[in-house]
Amino acid sequence: MGISRQNRVEVKSMLTAISSKPSRSGQVHTFSALDNAVTPHTVHVIFYYPRSPFKSFDLDSVRIPLSELLSMYPPVIGRVNKTQEGILEVKCNDAGLRVLKAKVSVGIDEWLRSADGHEESDLTAWEDMPEDPSTWSPFRMQINEFEGGGVAIGLSCPHMHADATTLTVLLKSWTEAQRRQCITQPPSFFPMPYNLTDTDAVNSDRDSFSKPIAGPVSTKTATATFRFSGSAFTRCINEHSIHEISPKATPFDVFAALFWTRVALVKDKSDRVCLCVDFRRLLSNPLPYGFFGNALNFSSLEMANVVEVAIGHVARLLNEHVSSLNVEKIRSGLKRARSQEKMYGKDLTIVNMEHMIVEGEPLMYQAVFEEGVKPMHVSYRIGNDGGEGVIMVIPSPEKGFGRTVSVTLPEEEMSKLLSDQEILRLEPEVILKGVK
Amino acid sequence: MPREQMPEFSSSVKLKYVKLGFQYLVDHFLSLLLIPIMAIIAIELLRMGPEEILNVWKSLHFDLVYLLCSCFFVIFISSVYFISKPRTVYLVDYCCYKPPVSCRVPFATFMEHSRLILNDKPKSVEFQMRILERSGLGEETCLPPAIHYIPPTPTMDEARSEAQMVIFTAMDDLFKKTDLMPKDIDILIVNCSLFSPTPSLSAMVINKYKLRSNIKSFNLSGMGCSAGLISVDLARDLLQVHPNSNAIIVSTEIITPNYYKGNERAMLLPNCLFRMGSAAILMSNHRSDRWRAKYKLSHLVRTHRGADDKSYYCVYEQEDKDGNIGINLSKDLMAIAGEALKANITTIGPLVLPASEQLLFLLSLIGRKIFNPKWKPYIPDFKLAFEHFCIHAGGRAVIDELQKNLQLSGEHVEASRMTLHRFGNTSSSSLWYELSYIESKGRMRRGDRVWQIAFGSGFKCNSAVWKCNRTIKTPKDGPWSDCIDRYPVFIPEVVKL
């Protein structure tokens, strides 16, 4: 952030939102080995709506459904506690969800056009767990009102508590409760299947309370979001003759391959990537979407000389890797995860969110408060990433083959990527890249 | 020692029967006296025979003037009686405000906010925690939205918004329940002790519901937690003067502007105990309401101990050394409350106690004055005078003290304790929540007498006696409708936080 620009997001007040019913006393939520593995990171989801469903927020009709929903999620409103053996757990004591109210000095369209990654991070709360977390709310919601209507709802939490899918389902369930509909993905707190849990005792000495490196490592990072339409996918397939090499290539495979090769070009070398896939539905006994916690598989992929390889081959590699994920691979992934320090960003990380498309409809774009007012954009951000970069392939608001690709890279590499011809040829709408 | 216990037990049983017999004898003295008189007359009549009775009748010389004069005399006496009888004041119905679940304050949240706001005063935080643990409050009490902010935002707008929320909701419910049209309200009394804006809260109500321009409206402020019964007293007096009238009373306490922001311990107490609540009551003196009214007002006694300095200063609003305004509760609050109660029951006792208790009390009083001052004062058994008790839920200590002084059982104070648990100290409206509890439990029968006792700053002790007019069916709505099945709950002495 070389330019000292006036902060356009101003946090006005902070309150605590409560559940509607007292929870059972003594309830405790424990963390799994995977939860501990993703500890250094934080996860943030931002939903942009063109019209705000809130008025004063205090007396709004959305407050009671929020309270009822929070009763279904005791770990969201609990507080972190260190047991006598030094293990972290969540004491479900109903303390509540912290809500921050902020005002943005520009309109939502102007924001999407001109804000960059750093400014967007002002829309959610970025805090690391303090030494004494007993009065610290792990889950925080920030409601940002734009000039002229429009609102961005930011939800954030330490990655240890939940992954992006859990946060998305949480907000979607709130909108369903508010519209008096059945909650399609109720939360499930059952622990992960036995064959996946590590039998060793979870040790938190590692770096539970050590202060993670605040913000990006040493280099400054920048973020940009590329929105590709369905026709861009078709164009890409035709131009690179992908279906001849990899007939089963999905939109994720194509766009991930495209960006891997282009980023490898600006980086000068990136033969290895880390692939992050949600495994809720990949198990033989699938976990429900409402599974609360982390259900992510991190695995390494290598392709020699990826810069020169045709996109079709990369797409095929990705496709085969994802479709071959089974319980054994997930298990070994979990074992490996324990020894790593940072899951995201140690190598270039590609995040797969195809599982969020349920029956052709993207889950996050079904979070609708008022009929007809869908989110115009949903952003996902990972905090404290390793610095090599993160590429997230997210479903688009419309059904079909379009995808939204959000890229976080060191600043110089990002500026090169933004002028990459291969990407620009597909005519993406580029938002949230800031203005130069 | 079983042997010693046996005589004790049998003697106590004997004593019980003696006492019962004594009570029956004195309470029904006049009727019992009537029996021998009727017996004597009956025997006399039977002895005299029909002819003699006829002769006695003829000797009375009934002529027309005599007859007419007697009739007029009887009519005159009955008219005087009916005209000078005070109008019966009915409580038609009432509604208590149930706050939305989003205003709930769990213990963990209260303590967390306390720690975050008073982060440099751990002793004050510790004090608040100890108070909350022993307070008798539950996890479902509610504070207004402004107090959920860190730090709280007690602006005037927020206070007005809270007032509108609690008052209008209760009144809407009351209108629906009683089919009352706003234009039919003749008298409006609003009592709220600590929030008194201009225009007044009663003006706010008149503006919202477009009440008549010749309405008699009153706004009572500064009168503490006993203001609810003061409003009832005022309504009663007005209903004596104005025939065929409806009176609406709104009792509430607005918490928003009175959240104490400092750290003086004696002034932090109200933060822990006071919670959001209100009640709207419809009273009338229409003859037609005697079928649908729930209660009749029998007595209302107000006792003010303000002449005594200690009583006057025991609940005192003042600034602390940092300039924060709060309410200072003195340490002898319980003792003063006990004194005020004694003064009140000395007045109300003769009005409500059965003759046997009054006689015993009189005898014990004479005995103490003349024979031996060391005799234990006889505490009349108020359980004989009332079926239900509503003790202002000012705090656990108040209820414990009164239970001890009046020798009440756990069931008698159950309504007060459970109201404190579920709603906290809602100030003047707590009596109505307690009454609603008793009705929701299905315990209110026709003819039952209810005693409402309220304490307030000043120091005042006011009590009202109601008589139930019709057996009340368990209500389907109301503040207790969704949780009454969980009550009564066991409230531990100390809740571990």
Side-chain angles (χ1 to χ4, degrees):
Chain A
M1 273 266 279
I3 330 158
S4 66
R5 188 200 277 167
Q6 196 188 13
N7 218 342
R8 297 196 284 184
V9 179
E10 200 190 330
V11 176
K12 295 279 191 195
S13 54
M14 176 165 75
L15 65 122
T16 307
I18 315 286
S19 61
S20 61
K21 278 197 288 280
S23 65
R24 286 195 332 267
S25 68
Q27 212 181 352
V28 152
H29 174 83
T30 49
F31 294 116
S32 67
L34 178 58
D35 292 334
N36 281 282
V38 289
T39 296
H41 301 288
T42 56
V43 62
H44 308 256
V45 185
I46 305 167
F47 286 76
Y48 292 87
Y49 290 89
R51 234 187 16 233
S52 174
F54 309 121
K55 293 185 209 49
S56 66
F57 192 65
D58 287 335
L59 302 169
D60 283 348
S61 60
V62 293
R63 284 299 293 274
I64 297 181
L66 178 62
S67 291
E68 286 166 354
L69 185 78
L70 291 175
S71 297
M72 296 169 70
Y73 283 86
V76 171
I77 47 174
R79 295 293 178 261
V80 176
N81 180 40
K82 203 175 186 190
T83 63
Q84 295 209 339
E85 297 91 41
I87 300 175
L88 290 178
E89 61 181 12
V90 178
K91 201 162 85 157
C92 299
N93 63 359
D94 283 352
L97 170 76
R98 202 75 79 218
V99 177
L100 294 106
K101 286 162 68 172
K103 276 210 169 356
V104 187
S105 53
V106 295
I108 193 170
D109 295 312
E110 171 63 22
W111 174 268
L112 288 173
R113 195 188 62 77
S114 65
D116 63 12
H118 287 279
E119 272 207 294
E120 200 191 22
S121 55
D122 289 339
L123 292 181
T124 67
W126 292 65
E127 272 170 38
D128 293 316
M129 196 182 322
E131 280 295 322
D132 175 20
S134 59
T135 56
W136 181 74
S137 173
F139 283 76
R140 278 141 293 139
M141 181 158 75
Q142 185 164 323
I143 296 181
N144 307 278
E145 305 256 352
F146 289 92
E147 278 295 313
V151 72
I153 304 176
L155 262 179
S156 54
C157 72
H159 213 311
M160 183 166 73
H161 286 71
D163 58 15
T165 310
T166 304
L167 288 182
T168 309
V169 168
L170 179 68
L171 199 113
K172 177 169 177 278
S173 303
W174 179 18
T175 62
E176 285 168 344
Q178 204 258 335
R179 280 175 298 148
R180 299 257 164 278
Q181 287 178 351
C182 210
I183 294 186
T184 36
Q185 289 97 12
S188 153
F189 299 102
F190 293 114
M192 267 209 256
Y194 180 67
N195 58 355
L196 284 180
T197 50
D198 211 332
T199 47
D200 300 347
V202 170
N203 197 325
S204 77
D205 294 328
R206 201 164 54 107
D207 45 354
S208 55
F209 278 133
S210 68
K211 287 220 170 356
I213 308 156
V217 191
S218 44
T219 52
K220 298 203 180 98
T221 57
T223 309
T225 305
F226 300 82
R227 303 179 84 159
F228 295 97
S229 59
S231 53
F233 172 72
T234 330
R235 249 181 97 174
C236 193
I237 296 258
N238 293 336
E239 275 181 23
H240 299 272
S241 318
I242 293 178
H243 275 159
E244 283 164 29
I245 312 169
S246 169
K248 287 188 286 194
T250 64
F252 166 73
D253 302 324
V254 171
F255 288 112
L258 172 70
F259 274 84
W260 184 2
T261 47
R262 302 328 289 170
V263 169
L265 186 67
V266 306
K267 265 186 186 294
D268 227 7
K269 170 185 146 71
S270 193
D271 291 348
R272 191 174 67 189
V273 294
C274 173
L275 187 62
C276 169
V277 184
D278 187 290
F279 61 73
R280 279 173 171 80
R281 310 307 288 174
L282 298 178
L283 302 176
S284 45
N285 267 343
L287 290 171
Y289 276 98
F291 171 78
F292 185 88
N294 287 292
L296 298 170
N297 174 263
F298 294 88
S299 47
S300 271
L301 266 184
E302 272 195 46
M303 175 158 259
N305 269 336
V306 69
V307 181
E308 290 149 17
V309 173
I311 294 181
H313 292 285
V314 184
R316 189 173 67 183
L317 174 68
L318 284 164
N319 185 297
E320 282 168 1
H321 189 95
V322 172
S323 25
S324 68
L325 269 180
N326 58 12
V327 173
E328 273 313 310
K329 292 202 177 156
I330 295 172
R331 240 185 105 118
S332 54
L334 281 175
K335 279 216 177 80
R336 256 199 326 274
R338 290 198 63 209
S339 54
Q340 276 189 285
E341 230 191 55
K342 283 195 190 232
M343 308 302 297
Y344 293 89
K346 205 160 80 69
D347 298 320
L348 179 67
T349 308
I350 305 180
V351 179
N352 177 330
M353 291 202 171
E354 295 296 289
H355 67 286
M356 299 264 223
I357 300 178
V358 181
E359 286 162 21
E361 298 275 356
L363 268 187
M364 62 284 271
Y365 288 98
Q366 292 175 334
V368 168
F369 284 102
E370 292 168 72
E371 282 304 318
V373 185
K374 278 168 66 155
M376 52 200 286
H377 178 64
V378 182
S379 282
Y380 290 88
R381 301 287 297 279
I382 300 290
N384 296 329
D385 67 82
E388 282 302 317
V390 180
I391 301 173
M392 290 201 250
V393 182
I394 308 166
S396 270
E398 306 84 25
K399 283 167 82 152
F401 298 126
R403 290 291 179 272
T404 301
V405 181
S406 154
V407 184
T408 305
L409 284 175
E411 257 183 354
E412 312 82 44
E413 294 171 19
M414 179 58 89
S415 50
K416 285 188 221 157
L417 188 73
L418 283 170
S419 37
D420 184 292
Q421 285 311 306
E422 285 296 326
I423 294 174
L424 291 177
R425 244 219 320 266
L426 299 171
E427 290 168 8
E429 186 199 342
V430 189
I431 58 172
L432 291 169
K433 63 168 165 34
V435 280
K436 292 289 178 257
Chain B
M1 306 286 182
R3 270 264 181 83
E4 283 177 16
Q5 274 179 3
M6 272 296 284
E8 238 182 73
F9 176 67
S10 67
S11 72
S12 80
V13 168
K14 283 195 193 117
L15 199 67
K16 191 171 133 196
Y17 280 118
V18 166
K19 201 162 180 207
L20 269 175
F22 170 75
Q23 280 171 356
Y24 196 73
L25 184 71
V26 178
D27 289 344
H28 302 97
F29 189 63
L30 286 174
S31 7
L32 287 175
L33 209 57
L34 215 55
I35 294 175
I37 293 177
M38 281 174 64
I40 291 172
I41 294 178
I43 292 171
E44 196 58 38
L45 280 173
L46 287 169
R47 197 179 56 84
M48 286 205 296
E51 276 180 23
E52 268 201 56
I53 297 171
L54 223 55
N55 286 338
V56 172
W57 184 256
K58 284 207 181 107
S59 72
L60 280 176
H61 295 299
F62 279 138
D63 59 3
L64 196 62
V65 175
Y66 189 58
L67 208 61
L68 275 172
C69 285
S70 322
C71 282
F72 280 140
F73 185 64
V74 169
I75 293 171
F76 179 68
I77 294 289
S78 358
S79 312
V80 168
Y81 170 71
F82 278 115
I83 288 171
S84 62
K85 195 168 81 120
R87 283 185 230 273
T88 320
V89 171
Y90 298 104
L91 192 159
V92 179
D93 210 337
Y94 63 96
C95 280
C96 297
Y97 172 69
K98 184 157 153 222
V101 286
S102 48
C103 292
R104 191 169 81 88
V105 181
F107 289 156
T109 317
F110 186 87
M111 286 320 304
E112 187 172 285
H113 281 219
S114 183
R115 277 206 191 93
L116 290 171
I117 295 166
L118 293 171
N119 59 355
D120 51 349
K121 296 270 185 299
K123 279 215 165 71
S124 300
V125 174
E126 191 61 39
F127 175 75
Q128 283 201 309
M129 188 157 91
R130 280 204 312 270
I131 295 292
L132 202 60
E133 281 174 348
R134 290 163 179 73
S135 62
L137 263 67
E139 298 256 23
E140 291 181 88
T141 62
C142 295
L143 280 173
I147 310 295
H148 285 81
Y149 281 78
I150 303 168
T153 54
T155 61
M156 189 162 202
D157 267 342
E158 292 277 356
R160 273 214 170 95
S161 148
E162 181 196 343
Q164 286 168 352
M165 183 166 75
V166 306
I167 294 177
F168 295 161
T169 314
M171 287 195 72
D172 287 340
D173 285 341
L174 185 65
F175 287 144
K176 212 161 66 175
K177 239 175 159 182
T178 55
D179 288 327
L180 180 72
M181 302 293 293
K183 64 174 172 56
D184 292 332
I185 301 175
D186 305 291
I187 301 163
L188 173 69
I189 305 169
V190 177
N191 74 269
C192 169
S193 187
L194 294 164
F195 179 54
S196 185
T198 298
S200 64
L201 293 176
S202 59
M204 185 177 85
V205 171
I206 293 171
N207 170 263
K208 161 84 175 174
Y209 293 102
K210 312 284 179 252
L211 304 181
R212 287 195 332 247
S213 56
N214 63 351
I215 192 170
K216 287 169 193 43
S217 70
F218 299 86
N219 194 86
L220 300 176
S221 75
M223 300 191 90
C225 301
S226 59
L229 293 184
I230 297 177
S231 305
V232 173
D233 187 40
L234 179 60
R236 177 185 66 164
D237 289 343
L238 288 166
L239 288 171
Q240 300 301 327
V241 176
H242 301 289
N244 288 326
S245 302
N246 287 317
I248 296 254
I249 300 172
V250 179
S251 283
T252 182
E253 190 57 71
I254 303 300
I255 310 287
T256 304
N258 305 303
Y259 199 77
Y260 175 60
K261 300 198 256 308
N263 51 51
E264 197 66 36
R265 282 196 218 169
M267 293 159 82
L268 280 171
L269 217 94
N271 280 3
C272 301
L273 300 176
F274 278 85
R275 295 289 182 265
M276 200 164 71
S278 88
I281 302 120
L282 173 62
M283 293 178 65
S284 92
N285 56 11
H286 284 118
R287 295 271 301 159
S288 53
D289 280 333
R290 71 184 185 278
W291 305 117
R292 68 169 184 152
K294 278 186 170 172
Y295 302 93
K296 269 200 293 250
L297 181 60
S298 306
H299 306 282
L300 205 146
V301 172
R302 292 166 58 175
T303 315
H304 206 304
R305 306 279 299 160
D308 168 44
D309 277 346
K310 236 174 58 168
S311 303
Y312 173 68
Y313 285 107
C314 89
V315 179
Y316 204 73
E317 186 182 15
Q318 62 192 73
E319 276 181 9
D320 67 7
K321 55 179 161 40
D322 301 318
N324 297 306
I325 297 179
I327 300 170
N328 198 332
L329 300 173
S330 100
K331 286 196 176 46
D332 6 76
L333 184 58
M334 282 305 114
I336 291 169
E339 292 277 320
L341 178 72
K342 262 201 216 98
N344 191 290
I345 63 181
T346 311
T347 316
I348 205 173
L351 296 172
V352 296
L353 287 169
S356 55
E357 291 296 310
Q358 297 199 41
L359 192 61
L360 281 172
F361 182 71
L362 188 65
L363 289 175
S364 120
L365 193 67
I366 294 173
R368 287 183 67 216
K369 284 270 189 290
I370 297 179
F371 298 121
N372 186 358
K374 287 220 185 70
W375 274 7
K376 236 176 43 181
Y378 179 72
I379 300 167
D381 189 1
F382 280 90
K383 298 194 282 290
L384 296 171
F386 303 107
E387 276 73 42
H388 307 288
F389 294 79
C390 292
I391 301 167
H392 166 57
R396 198 187 203 148
V398 171
I399 303 175
D400 288 342
E401 183 74 18
L402 256 74
Q403 185 179 9
K404 200 176 66 170
N405 282 349
L406 298 172
Q407 293 168 348
L408 300 175
S409 75
E411 197 181 315
H412 287 125
V413 295
E414 186 185 305
S416 311
R417 286 200 200 281
M418 297 307 127
T419 299
L420 183 65
H421 183 267
R422 171 63 180 85
F423 293 100
N425 178 351
T426 58
S427 185
S428 41
S429 49
S430 66
L431 295 172
W432 302 106
Y433 285 98
E434 293 172 23
L435 197 59
S436 180
Y437 177 86
I438 299 172
E439 289 179 9
S440 303
K441 279 287 186 192
R443 295 177 187 163
M444 195 59 80
R445 306 238 105 74
R446 184 190 153 93
D448 280 357
R449 292 153 300 176
V450 185
W451 188 17
Q452 289 183 324
I453 311 172
F455 295 101
S457 60
F459 196 81
K460 303 188 272 289
C461 177
N462 299 330
S463 46
V465 179
W466 304 89
K467 189 156 173 160
C468 181
N469 198 37
R470 56 178 173 87
T471 299
I472 295 168
K473 285 200 293 274
T474 315
K476 286 189 193 43
D477 51 11
W480 294 97
S481 55
D482 62 344
C483 61
I484 192 70
D485 297 321
R486 282 188 273 131
Y487 282 92
V489 291
F490 168 68
I491 304 173
E493 196 61 43
V494 177
V495 175
K496 194 68 200 80
L497 281 186

